[in-house]
PDB file of all heavy atoms in Angstrom:
ATOM      1  N   ARG Q   1      99.504  85.413 115.889  1.00  0.00           N
ATOM      2  CA  ARG Q   1      99.231  84.238 115.066  1.00  0.00           C
ATOM      3  C   ARG Q   1      99.454  84.491 113.598  1.00  0.00           C
ATOM      4  O   ARG Q   1      99.479  83.561 112.799  1.00  0.00           O
ATOM      5  CB  ARG Q   1      97.800  83.753 115.299  1.00  0.00           C
ATOM      6  CG  ARG Q   1      97.475  83.304 116.679  1.00  0.00           C
ATOM      7  CD  ARG Q   1      97.959  81.879 116.942  1.00  0.00           C
ATOM      8  NE  ARG Q   1      97.280  80.937 116.068  1.00  0.00           N
ATOM      9  CZ  ARG Q   1      96.151  80.313 116.371  1.00  0.00           C
ATOM     10  NH1 ARG Q   1      95.566  80.558 117.530  1.00  0.00           N
ATOM     11  NH2 ARG Q   1      95.630  79.412 115.560  1.00  0.00           N
ATOM     12  N   ARG Q   2      99.590  85.777 113.206  1.00  0.00           N
ATOM     13  CA  ARG Q   2      99.606  86.103 111.770  1.00  0.00           C
ATOM     14  C   ARG Q   2     100.914  86.771 111.325  1.00  0.00           C
ATOM     15  O   ARG Q   2     101.022  87.108 110.157  1.00  0.00           O
ATOM     16  CB  ARG Q   2      98.440  87.035 111.466  1.00  0.00           C
ATOM     17  CG  ARG Q   2      97.117  86.285 111.519  1.00  0.00           C
ATOM     18  CD  ARG Q   2      96.967  85.336 110.366  1.00  0.00           C
ATOM     19  NE  ARG Q   2      95.828  84.474 110.534  1.00  0.00           N
ATOM     20  CZ  ARG Q   2      95.849  83.254 111.074  1.00  0.00           C
ATOM     21  NH1 ARG Q   2      97.032  82.828 111.524  1.00  0.00           N
ATOM     22  NH2 ARG Q   2      94.774  82.524 111.188  1.00  0.00           N
ATOM     23  N   THR Q   3     101.861  87.012 112.209  1.00  0.00           N
ATOM     24  CA  THR Q   3     103.035  87.694 111.762  1.00  0.00           C
ATOM     25  C   THR Q   3     104.302  87.141 112.393  1.00  0.00           C
ATOM     26  O   THR Q   3     104.291  86.688 113.523  1.00  0.00           O
ATOM     27  CB  THR Q   3     102.960  89.217 112.093  1.00  0.00           C
ATOM     28  OG1 THR Q   3     104.146  89.884 111.645  1.00  0.00           O
ATOM     29  CG2 THR Q   3     102.832  89.466 113.613  1.00  0.00           C
ATOM     30  N   THR Q   4     105.325  87.146 111.602  1.00  0.00           N
ATOM     31  CA  THR Q   4     106.650  86.748 112.103  1.00  0.00           C
ATOM     32  C   THR Q   4     107.644  87.900 111.928  1.00  0.00           C
ATOM     33  O   THR Q   4     108.831  87.720 112.193  1.00  0.00           O
ATOM     34  CB  THR Q   4     107.163  85.493 111.316  1.00  0.00           C
ATOM     35  OG1 THR Q   4     107.260  85.848 109.923  1.00  0.00           O
ATOM     36  CG2 THR Q   4     106.282  84.314 111.529  1.00  0.00           C
ATOM     37  N   SER Q   5     107.142  89.033 111.486  1.00  0.00           N
ATOM     38  CA  SER Q   5     108.026  90.159 111.202  1.00  0.00           C
ATOM     39  C   SER Q   5     108.250  91.102 112.407  1.00  0.00           C
ATOM     40  O   SER Q   5     109.043  91.998 112.306  1.00  0.00           O
ATOM     41  CB  SER Q   5     107.447  90.950 110.029  1.00  0.00           C
ATOM     42  OG  SER Q   5     106.161  91.413 110.329  1.00  0.00           O
ATOM     43  N   TRP Q   6     107.531  90.825 113.499  1.00  0.00           N
ATOM     44  CA  TRP Q   6     107.667  91.680 114.684  1.00  0.00           C
ATOM     45  C   TRP Q   6     108.061  90.843 115.898  1.00  0.00           C
ATOM     46  O   TRP Q   6     107.555  89.724 116.055  1.00  0.00           O
ATOM     47  CB  TRP Q   6     106.334  92.429 115.000  1.00  0.00           C
ATOM     48  CG  TRP Q   6     105.904  93.355 113.909  1.00  0.00           C
ATOM     49  CD1 TRP Q   6     105.021  93.034 112.928  1.00  0.00           C
ATOM     50  CD2 TRP Q   6     106.321  94.649 113.711  1.00  0.00           C
ATOM     51  NE1 TRP Q   6     104.860  94.107 112.082  1.00  0.00           N
ATOM     52  CE2 TRP Q   6     105.663  95.151 112.544  1.00  0.00           C
ATOM     53  CE3 TRP Q   6     107.197  95.541 114.383  1.00  0.00           C
ATOM     54  CZ2 TRP Q   6     105.865  96.444 112.058  1.00  0.00           C
ATOM     55  CZ3 TRP Q   6     107.393  96.824 113.906  1.00  0.00           C
ATOM     56  CH2 TRP Q   6     106.706  97.234 112.778  1.00  0.00           C
ATOM     57  N   SER Q   7     108.925  91.367 116.677  1.00  0.00           N
ATOM     58  CA  SER Q   7     109.339  90.650 117.912  1.00  0.00           C
ATOM     59  C   SER Q   7     108.198  90.687 118.919  1.00  0.00           C
ATOM     60  O   SER Q   7     107.263  91.525 118.823  1.00  0.00           O
ATOM     61  CB  SER Q   7     110.572  91.335 118.505  1.00  0.00           C
ATOM     62  OG  SER Q   7     110.292  92.631 118.994  1.00  0.00           O
ATOM     63  N   ALA Q   8     108.291  89.799 119.927  1.00  0.00           N
ATOM     64  CA  ALA Q   8     107.254  89.787 120.958  1.00  0.00           C
ATOM     65  C   ALA Q   8     107.172  91.135 121.679  1.00  0.00           C
ATOM     66  O   ALA Q   8     106.110  91.578 122.116  1.00  0.00           O
ATOM     67  CB  ALA Q   8     107.551  88.684 121.947  1.00  0.00           C
ATOM     68  N   ALA Q   9     108.314  91.812 121.820  1.00  0.00           N
ATOM     69  CA  ALA Q   9     108.307  93.108 122.501  1.00  0.00           C
ATOM     70  C   ALA Q   9     107.634  94.202 121.685  1.00  0.00           C
ATOM     71  O   ALA Q   9     107.104  95.151 122.278  1.00  0.00           O
ATOM     72  CB  ALA Q   9     109.766  93.517 122.792  1.00  0.00           C
ATOM     73  N   MET Q  10     107.616  94.052 120.363  1.00  0.00           N
ATOM     74  CA  MET Q  10     107.006  95.089 119.506  1.00  0.00           C
ATOM     75  C   MET Q  10     105.566  94.835 119.213  1.00  0.00           C
ATOM     76  O   MET Q  10     104.816  95.762 118.850  1.00  0.00           O
ATOM     77  CB  MET Q  10     107.815  95.154 118.200  1.00  0.00           C
ATOM     78  CG  MET Q  10     109.214  95.675 118.296  1.00  0.00           C
ATOM     79  SD  MET Q  10     109.282  97.342 118.977  1.00  0.00           S
ATOM     80  CE  MET Q  10     108.511  98.275 117.612  1.00  0.00           C
ATOM     81  N   LEU Q  11     105.080  93.607 119.357  1.00  0.00           N
ATOM     82  CA  LEU Q  11     103.699  93.272 119.021  1.00  0.00           C
ATOM     83  C   LEU Q  11     102.670  94.160 119.772  1.00  0.00           C
ATOM     84  O   LEU Q  11     101.675  94.576 119.157  1.00  0.00           O
ATOM     85  CB  LEU Q  11     103.393  91.799 119.273  1.00  0.00           C
ATOM     86  CG  LEU Q  11     103.645  90.860 118.089  1.00  0.00           C
ATOM     87  CD1 LEU Q  11     103.314  89.442 118.491  1.00  0.00           C
ATOM     88  CD2 LEU Q  11     102.768  91.303 116.906  1.00  0.00           C
ATOM     89  N   PRO Q  12     102.885  94.405 121.061  1.00  0.00           N
ATOM     90  CA  PRO Q  12     101.908  95.284 121.738  1.00  0.00           C
ATOM     91  C   PRO Q  12     101.784  96.676 121.074  1.00  0.00           C
ATOM     92  O   PRO Q  12     100.707  97.280 121.015  1.00  0.00           O
ATOM     93  CB  PRO Q  12     102.443  95.424 123.150  1.00  0.00           C
ATOM     94  CG  PRO Q  12     103.227  94.187 123.340  1.00  0.00           C
ATOM     95  CD  PRO Q  12     103.822  93.856 122.023  1.00  0.00           C
ATOM     96  N   HIS Q  13     102.915  97.178 120.540  1.00  0.00           N
ATOM     97  CA  HIS Q  13     102.882  98.492 119.891  1.00  0.00           C
ATOM     98  C   HIS Q  13     102.171  98.415 118.556  1.00  0.00           C
ATOM     99  O   HIS Q  13     101.478  99.345 118.121  1.00  0.00           O
ATOM    100  CB  HIS Q  13     104.324  99.026 119.710  1.00  0.00           C
ATOM    101  CG  HIS Q  13     104.997  99.249 121.003  1.00  0.00           C
ATOM    102  ND1 HIS Q  13     104.865 100.391 121.750  1.00  0.00           N
ATOM    103  CD2 HIS Q  13     105.842  98.474 121.752  1.00  0.00           C
ATOM    104  CE1 HIS Q  13     105.580 100.322 122.841  1.00  0.00           C
ATOM    105  NE2 HIS Q  13     106.154  99.154 122.865  1.00  0.00           N
ATOM    106  N   VAL Q  14     102.313  97.254 117.856  1.00  0.00           N
ATOM    107  CA  VAL Q  14     101.575  97.049 116.600  1.00  0.00           C
ATOM    108  C   VAL Q  14     100.046  97.006 116.923  1.00  0.00           C
ATOM    109  O   VAL Q  14      99.272  97.628 116.154  1.00  0.00           O
ATOM    110  CB  VAL Q  14     102.008  95.702 115.942  1.00  0.00           C
ATOM    111  CG1 VAL Q  14     101.190  95.474 114.675  1.00  0.00           C
ATOM    112  CG2 VAL Q  14     103.501  95.747 115.588  1.00  0.00           C
ATOM    113  N   ALA Q  15      99.668  96.326 117.959  1.00  0.00           N
ATOM    114  CA  ALA Q  15      98.252  96.303 118.369  1.00  0.00           C
ATOM    115  C   ALA Q  15      97.740  97.677 118.673  1.00  0.00           C
ATOM    116  O   ALA Q  15      96.611  98.031 118.278  1.00  0.00           O
ATOM    117  CB  ALA Q  15      98.098  95.339 119.550  1.00  0.00           C
ATOM    118  N   ILE Q  16      98.503  98.462 119.358  1.00  0.00           N
ATOM    119  CA  ILE Q  16      98.084  99.844 119.694  1.00  0.00           C
ATOM    120  C   ILE Q  16      97.914 100.668 118.478  1.00  0.00           C
ATOM    121  O   ILE Q  16      96.941 101.424 118.312  1.00  0.00           O
ATOM    122  CB  ILE Q  16      99.119 100.511 120.657  1.00  0.00           C
ATOM    123  CG1 ILE Q  16      99.091  99.792 122.024  1.00  0.00           C
ATOM    124  CG2 ILE Q  16      98.820 101.980 120.854  1.00  0.00           C
ATOM    125  CD1 ILE Q  16     100.257 100.171 122.950  1.00  0.00           C
ATOM    126  N   GLY Q  17      98.859 100.527 117.535  1.00  0.00           N
ATOM    127  CA  GLY Q  17      98.769 101.261 116.262  1.00  0.00           C
ATOM    128  C   GLY Q  17      97.524 100.887 115.483  1.00  0.00           C
ATOM    129  O   GLY Q  17      96.841 101.723 114.900  1.00  0.00           O
ATOM    130  N   PHE Q  18      97.282  99.588 115.448  1.00  0.00           N
ATOM    131  CA  PHE Q  18      96.125  99.071 114.749  1.00  0.00           C
ATOM    132  C   PHE Q  18      94.818  99.628 115.367  1.00  0.00           C
ATOM    133  O   PHE Q  18      93.876 100.013 114.680  1.00  0.00           O
ATOM    134  CB  PHE Q  18      96.144  97.512 114.766  1.00  0.00           C
ATOM    135  CG  PHE Q  18      94.937  96.857 114.134  1.00  0.00           C
ATOM    136  CD1 PHE Q  18      94.488  97.264 112.915  1.00  0.00           C
ATOM    137  CD2 PHE Q  18      94.342  95.791 114.769  1.00  0.00           C
ATOM    138  CE1 PHE Q  18      93.378  96.627 112.329  1.00  0.00           C
ATOM    139  CE2 PHE Q  18      93.241  95.148 114.205  1.00  0.00           C
ATOM    140  CZ  PHE Q  18      92.790  95.569 112.958  1.00  0.00           C
ATOM    141  N   TYR Q  19      94.797  99.635 116.677  1.00  0.00           N
ATOM    142  CA  TYR Q  19      93.640 100.169 117.441  1.00  0.00           C
ATOM    143  C   TYR Q  19      93.401 101.644 117.022  1.00  0.00           C
ATOM    144  O   TYR Q  19      92.226 102.045 116.725  1.00  0.00           O
ATOM    145  CB  TYR Q  19      93.888 100.087 118.957  1.00  0.00           C
ATOM    146  CG  TYR Q  19      92.908 100.875 119.739  1.00  0.00           C
ATOM    147  CD1 TYR Q  19      91.685 100.333 120.112  1.00  0.00           C
ATOM    148  CD2 TYR Q  19      93.193 102.169 120.166  1.00  0.00           C
ATOM    149  CE1 TYR Q  19      90.777 101.055 120.852  1.00  0.00           C
ATOM    150  CE2 TYR Q  19      92.273 102.919 120.895  1.00  0.00           C
ATOM    151  CZ  TYR Q  19      91.069 102.343 121.252  1.00  0.00           C
ATOM    152  OH  TYR Q  19      90.193 103.075 122.008  1.00  0.00           O
ATOM    153  N   HIS Q  20      94.434 102.423 116.950  1.00  0.00           N
ATOM    154  CA  HIS Q  20      94.246 103.863 116.611  1.00  0.00           C
ATOM    155  C   HIS Q  20      93.829 104.028 115.183  1.00  0.00           C
ATOM    156  O   HIS Q  20      93.071 104.997 114.863  1.00  0.00           O
ATOM    157  CB  HIS Q  20      95.513 104.608 116.919  1.00  0.00           C
ATOM    158  CG  HIS Q  20      95.687 104.923 118.371  1.00  0.00           C
ATOM    159  ND1 HIS Q  20      94.911 105.786 119.100  1.00  0.00           N
ATOM    160  CD2 HIS Q  20      96.614 104.428 119.256  1.00  0.00           C
ATOM    161  CE1 HIS Q  20      95.280 105.866 120.309  1.00  0.00           C
ATOM    162  NE2 HIS Q  20      96.316 105.037 120.473  1.00  0.00           N
ATOM    163  N   LEU Q  21      94.278 103.191 114.284  1.00  0.00           N
ATOM    164  CA  LEU Q  21      93.884 103.307 112.884  1.00  0.00           C
ATOM    165  C   LEU Q  21      92.373 103.099 112.691  1.00  0.00           C
ATOM    166  O   LEU Q  21      91.774 103.782 111.859  1.00  0.00           O
ATOM    167  CB  LEU Q  21      94.617 102.272 112.045  1.00  0.00           C
ATOM    168  CG  LEU Q  21      96.053 102.546 111.653  1.00  0.00           C
ATOM    169  CD1 LEU Q  21      96.657 101.346 110.933  1.00  0.00           C
ATOM    170  CD2 LEU Q  21      96.186 103.809 110.838  1.00  0.00           C
ATOM    171  N   ILE Q  22      91.758 102.226 113.500  1.00  0.00           N
ATOM    172  CA  ILE Q  22      90.338 101.971 113.362  1.00  0.00           C
ATOM    173  C   ILE Q  22      89.522 102.806 114.320  1.00  0.00           C
ATOM    174  O   ILE Q  22      88.683 103.629 113.931  1.00  0.00           O
ATOM    175  CB  ILE Q  22      90.030 100.453 113.562  1.00  0.00           C
ATOM    176  CG1 ILE Q  22      90.667  99.634 112.485  1.00  0.00           C
ATOM    177  CG2 ILE Q  22      88.508 100.217 113.611  1.00  0.00           C
ATOM    178  CD1 ILE Q  22      90.320  98.163 112.519  1.00  0.00           C
ATOM    179  N   PHE Q  23      89.781 102.666 115.620  1.00  0.00           N
ATOM    180  CA  PHE Q  23      88.978 103.350 116.638  1.00  0.00           C
ATOM    181  C   PHE Q  23      89.210 104.858 116.604  1.00  0.00           C
ATOM    182  O   PHE Q  23      88.297 105.671 116.754  1.00  0.00           O
ATOM    183  CB  PHE Q  23      89.271 102.791 118.029  1.00  0.00           C
ATOM    184  CG  PHE Q  23      88.694 101.384 118.223  1.00  0.00           C
ATOM    185  CD1 PHE Q  23      89.322 100.339 117.648  1.00  0.00           C
ATOM    186  CD2 PHE Q  23      87.620 101.195 119.087  1.00  0.00           C
ATOM    187  CE1 PHE Q  23      88.838  99.036 117.840  1.00  0.00           C
ATOM    188  CE2 PHE Q  23      87.108  99.935 119.300  1.00  0.00           C
ATOM    189  CZ  PHE Q  23      87.717  98.860 118.633  1.00  0.00           C
ATOM    190  N   GLY Q  24      90.481 105.221 116.408  1.00  0.00           N
ATOM    191  CA  GLY Q  24      90.847 106.659 116.435  1.00  0.00           C
ATOM    192  C   GLY Q  24      90.168 107.421 115.249  1.00  0.00           C
ATOM    193  O   GLY Q  24      89.858 108.614 115.408  1.00  0.00           O
ATOM    194  N   TYR Q  25      89.903 106.739 114.157  1.00  0.00           N
ATOM    195  CA  TYR Q  25      89.214 107.433 113.062  1.00  0.00           C
ATOM    196  C   TYR Q  25      87.830 107.889 113.464  1.00  0.00           C
ATOM    197  O   TYR Q  25      87.417 109.031 113.182  1.00  0.00           O
ATOM    198  CB  TYR Q  25      89.102 106.465 111.856  1.00  0.00           C
ATOM    199  CG  TYR Q  25      88.399 107.062 110.634  1.00  0.00           C
ATOM    200  CD1 TYR Q  25      89.038 107.918 109.808  1.00  0.00           C
ATOM    201  CD2 TYR Q  25      87.065 106.787 110.425  1.00  0.00           C
ATOM    202  CE1 TYR Q  25      88.370 108.500 108.705  1.00  0.00           C
ATOM    203  CE2 TYR Q  25      86.412 107.328 109.337  1.00  0.00           C
ATOM    204  CZ  TYR Q  25      87.057 108.197 108.462  1.00  0.00           C
ATOM    205  OH  TYR Q  25      86.414 108.713 107.422  1.00  0.00           O
ATOM    206  N   PHE Q  26      87.096 107.012 114.148  1.00  0.00           N
ATOM    207  CA  PHE Q  26      85.718 107.384 114.580  1.00  0.00           C
ATOM    208  C   PHE Q  26      85.759 108.373 115.720  1.00  0.00           C
ATOM    209  O   PHE Q  26      84.853 109.214 115.839  1.00  0.00           O
ATOM    210  CB  PHE Q  26      84.959 106.108 114.904  1.00  0.00           C
ATOM    211  CG  PHE Q  26      84.640 105.252 113.735  1.00  0.00           C
ATOM    212  CD1 PHE Q  26      85.438 104.166 113.439  1.00  0.00           C
ATOM    213  CD2 PHE Q  26      83.561 105.552 112.906  1.00  0.00           C
ATOM    214  CE1 PHE Q  26      85.172 103.401 112.284  1.00  0.00           C
ATOM    215  CE2 PHE Q  26      83.314 104.774 111.779  1.00  0.00           C
ATOM    216  CZ  PHE Q  26      84.091 103.727 111.490  1.00  0.00           C
ATOM    217  N   VAL Q  27      86.740 108.270 116.605  1.00  0.00           N
ATOM    218  CA  VAL Q  27      86.859 109.258 117.661  1.00  0.00           C
ATOM    219  C   VAL Q  27      87.117 110.644 117.116  1.00  0.00           C
ATOM    220  O   VAL Q  27      86.563 111.657 117.550  1.00  0.00           O
ATOM    221  CB  VAL Q  27      88.012 108.876 118.645  1.00  0.00           C
ATOM    222  CG1 VAL Q  27      88.290 109.986 119.611  1.00  0.00           C
ATOM    223  CG2 VAL Q  27      87.669 107.595 119.404  1.00  0.00           C
ATOM    224  N   SER Q  28      87.952 110.708 116.067  1.00  0.00           N
ATOM    225  CA  SER Q  28      88.337 111.991 115.460  1.00  0.00           C
ATOM    226  C   SER Q  28      87.425 112.484 114.381  1.00  0.00           C
ATOM    227  O   SER Q  28      87.643 113.560 113.814  1.00  0.00           O
ATOM    228  CB  SER Q  28      89.763 111.864 114.857  1.00  0.00           C
ATOM    229  OG  SER Q  28      90.705 111.460 115.833  1.00  0.00           O
ATOM    230  N   ALA Q  29      86.368 111.748 114.067  1.00  0.00           N
ATOM    231  CA  ALA Q  29      85.482 112.073 112.929  1.00  0.00           C
ATOM    232  C   ALA Q  29      84.920 113.505 113.064  1.00  0.00           C
ATOM    233  O   ALA Q  29      84.950 114.279 112.072  1.00  0.00           O
ATOM    234  CB  ALA Q  29      84.363 111.060 112.835  1.00  0.00           C
ATOM    235  N   PRO Q  30      84.437 113.974 114.241  1.00  0.00           N
ATOM    236  CA  PRO Q  30      83.945 115.321 114.335  1.00  0.00           C
ATOM    237  C   PRO Q  30      85.037 116.365 114.048  1.00  0.00           C
ATOM    238  O   PRO Q  30      84.747 117.415 113.391  1.00  0.00           O
ATOM    239  CB  PRO Q  30      83.427 115.413 115.786  1.00  0.00           C
ATOM    240  CG  PRO Q  30      83.150 114.032 116.191  1.00  0.00           C
ATOM    241  CD  PRO Q  30      84.198 113.223 115.490  1.00  0.00           C
ATOM    242  N   LEU Q  31      86.231 116.105 114.481  1.00  0.00           N
ATOM    243  CA  LEU Q  31      87.346 117.059 114.208  1.00  0.00           C
ATOM    244  C   LEU Q  31      87.686 117.047 112.728  1.00  0.00           C
ATOM    245  O   LEU Q  31      87.897 118.123 112.139  1.00  0.00           O
ATOM    246  CB  LEU Q  31      88.600 116.646 115.042  1.00  0.00           C
ATOM    247  CG  LEU Q  31      89.841 117.467 114.784  1.00  0.00           C
ATOM    248  CD1 LEU Q  31      89.586 118.960 115.172  1.00  0.00           C
ATOM    249  CD2 LEU Q  31      90.992 116.901 115.578  1.00  0.00           C
ATOM    250  N   LEU Q  32      87.745 115.883 112.104  1.00  0.00           N
ATOM    251  CA  LEU Q  32      88.014 115.787 110.686  1.00  0.00           C
ATOM    252  C   LEU Q  32      86.945 116.552 109.884  1.00  0.00           C
ATOM    253  O   LEU Q  32      87.287 117.199 108.889  1.00  0.00           O
ATOM    254  CB  LEU Q  32      88.084 114.312 110.231  1.00  0.00           C
ATOM    255  CG  LEU Q  32      89.193 113.478 110.875  1.00  0.00           C
ATOM    256  CD1 LEU Q  32      89.029 112.039 110.439  1.00  0.00           C
ATOM    257  CD2 LEU Q  32      90.564 113.998 110.442  1.00  0.00           C
ATOM    258  N   GLU Q  33      85.714 116.397 110.260  1.00  0.00           N
ATOM    259  CA  GLU Q  33      84.647 117.081 109.518  1.00  0.00           C
ATOM    260  C   GLU Q  33      84.693 118.571 109.632  1.00  0.00           C
ATOM    261  O   GLU Q  33      84.440 119.319 108.715  1.00  0.00           O
ATOM    262  CB  GLU Q  33      83.312 116.519 110.022  1.00  0.00           C
ATOM    263  CG  GLU Q  33      83.068 115.078 109.637  1.00  0.00           C
ATOM    264  CD  GLU Q  33      81.808 114.474 110.216  1.00  0.00           C
ATOM    265  OE1 GLU Q  33      81.177 115.118 111.116  1.00  0.00           O
ATOM    266  OE2 GLU Q  33      81.406 113.376 109.792  1.00  0.00           O
ATOM    267  N   ALA Q  34      85.116 119.049 110.855  1.00  0.00           N
ATOM    268  CA  ALA Q  34      85.201 120.476 111.104  1.00  0.00           C
ATOM    269  C   ALA Q  34      86.415 121.105 110.466  1.00  0.00           C
ATOM    270  O   ALA Q  34      86.355 122.171 109.864  1.00  0.00           O
ATOM    271  CB  ALA Q  34      85.170 120.758 112.587  1.00  0.00           C
TER     272      ALA Q  34
END
């Protein structure tokens, strides 16, 4: 609903990348701290 710069085929990959930017940070927090 917010972008016209990605094709329908690429949007799932954008969503996956977005997920990792947020959720992945907290998953990796212990590793980052160590």
Side-chain angles (χ1 to χ4, degrees):
R1 296 280 296 270
R2 289 290 169 265
T3 181
T4 59
S5 57
W6 298 96
S7 67
M10 292 299 293
L11 269 179
H13 297 276
V14 177
I16 292 168
F18 178 45
Y19 168 85
H20 282 291
L21 283 175
I22 294 185
F23 289 73
Y25 179 81
F26 291 97
V27 170
S28 302
L31 176 63
L32 296 174
E33 291 175 349

